[in-house]
Amino acid sequence: MPLLLGVNIDHIATLRQARYARSPQAHNAEPSPLVAAFDALAGGADSLTVHVRSDRRHMQDADALQIRAELPLPLNFEMGVTAEMLAFARQLKPDFACLVPENRAEITTEGGLNVVGNFGSTLDAVTQLQDNGIRVSLFIDPDLPQVEAAARCGASMIELHTGAFANASDDLREFEIARLAAAARAAHAAGLQVNAGHGINYSNISHLWALPYLAELNIGHSIVARALRVGLTQAVRDMQQLMATYPPHVQ
Ligand code: PXP
C-alpha cells in the first residue's frame, strides 16, 4: 500500500481570517479554502484535513460543509471532544474524524489526546461517530498506554503526534524515532491503522522512514509555507514525490 498524504488546509483559512474574520464568506474574502482544496487535489492529495476549532479561529463551519459537498476526496475532520463538535460531525458526515485535544491558548495542537485519562468521554465520542458511519482516529503521543487505550476505545486508527520528533535536536531525534516506532508496532499489533502528523516537513520526513506500518501522513504547515513560493498544487506534488520513497518494511 502506498503511503497516503492528507493535506491540512487550515492555514489557508488562517490567512483569510487575518483580514476577513468578520465576513469570512463575503464575495471578496480570500484566500478561499475551497479553491485551495481543489489545488491540493490537483497536486495529488489523497485526502483533505480541516479542523474546525471551538473558537473558529481558522476554518468556519461553512468552509467544512462546502469542501465536504464539493470535493471528490475523502475528508478528515479534526475535532475536539465536545458535544458541539460531535453534533457538527453528524451534520458534516466526514469520512474520518480525528479526535484531538483542544486548548484555546495554544497556537496549534500541542499534545496528544489523553485517552487513558479521559477514557469514558473518548469511548463515548468514538462510539457516537462510528455509529454514524465515520471512521475514527485518535491523535496521541507515542506512548504505549495511550496506544493500548485507543485500541480499547474501538477506534480504527491512531495518528501519532510527531511534534516532539520534529522539534527534537539532532541528538534526541533517534530517541523520538524509537518511541514512534515502538508505538507504531504496538498499534499495528492491536489492529489499528497507523497515521502520523504534526511538524512534518520536506527535510525531516525521510527520518520517519524508520517507522514501520505507516498508512497516512497528515501535513499542513510546511506544505502551505512552500505553496507561497511554488503554489499549492506543486507543493503537494513535491511532498507526494518524497512520500513515494517510503520504503517497504520487512514485517
Ligand atoms: N495532525 C493533527 C492532529 C494536527 O492537529 C495538525 C495541526 O493542525 C496536523 C496533523 C498538521 O500539522 P502541521 O501543520 O504541523 O503539518
Side-chain angles (χ1 to χ4, degrees), residues 114-187:
N114 181 0
V115 187
V116 174
N118 301 287
F119 189 79
S121 54
T122 312
L123 175 65
D124 277 355
V126 170
T127 308
Q128 275 192 50
L129 291 162
Q130 295 194 156
D131 285 352
N132 282 274
I134 302 166
R135 286 186 78 208
V136 180
S137 172
L138 303 180
F139 183 57
I140 56 171
D141 290 323
D143 294 332
L144 298 184
Q146 298 293 349
V147 173
E148 189 265 335
R152 274 195 295 127
C153 271
S156 37
M157 306 174 272
I158 53 160
E159 181 172 326
L160 291 173
H161 194 321
T162 47
F165 148 78
N167 293 331
S169 52
D170 288 351
D171 48 329
L172 285 178
R173 189 183 300 119
E174 283 310 310
F175 171 76
E176 292 299 337
I177 289 284
R179 281 179 72 203
L180 288 162
R185 278 191 209 95

Side-chain angles (χ1 to χ4, degrees), residues 81-133:
V81 186
T82 65
E84 181 199 20
M85 284 305 148
L86 285 165
F88 184 59
R90 284 195 295 275
Q91 182 190 356
L92 182 64
K93 299 185 177 50
D95 299 273
F96 319 118
C98 180
L99 302 186
V100 300
E102 221 177 81
N103 165 4
R104 272 177 190 260
E106 70 193 359
I107 291 173
T108 179
T109 313
E110 280 170 1
L113 195 65
N114 181 0
V115 187
V116 174
N118 301 287
F119 189 79
S121 54
T122 312
L123 175 65
D124 277 355
V126 170
T127 308
Q128 275 192 50
L129 291 162
Q130 295 194 156
D131 285 352
N132 282 274

Side-chain angles (χ1 to χ4, degrees), residues 8 10 78 98 100 108-109 139 159 197-200 218-221:
N8 180 318
D10 292 345
E78 246 183 57
C98 180
V100 300
T108 179
T109 313
F139 183 57
E159 181 172 326
H198 214 282
I200 300 172
N218 286 311
I219 309 179
H221 187 93

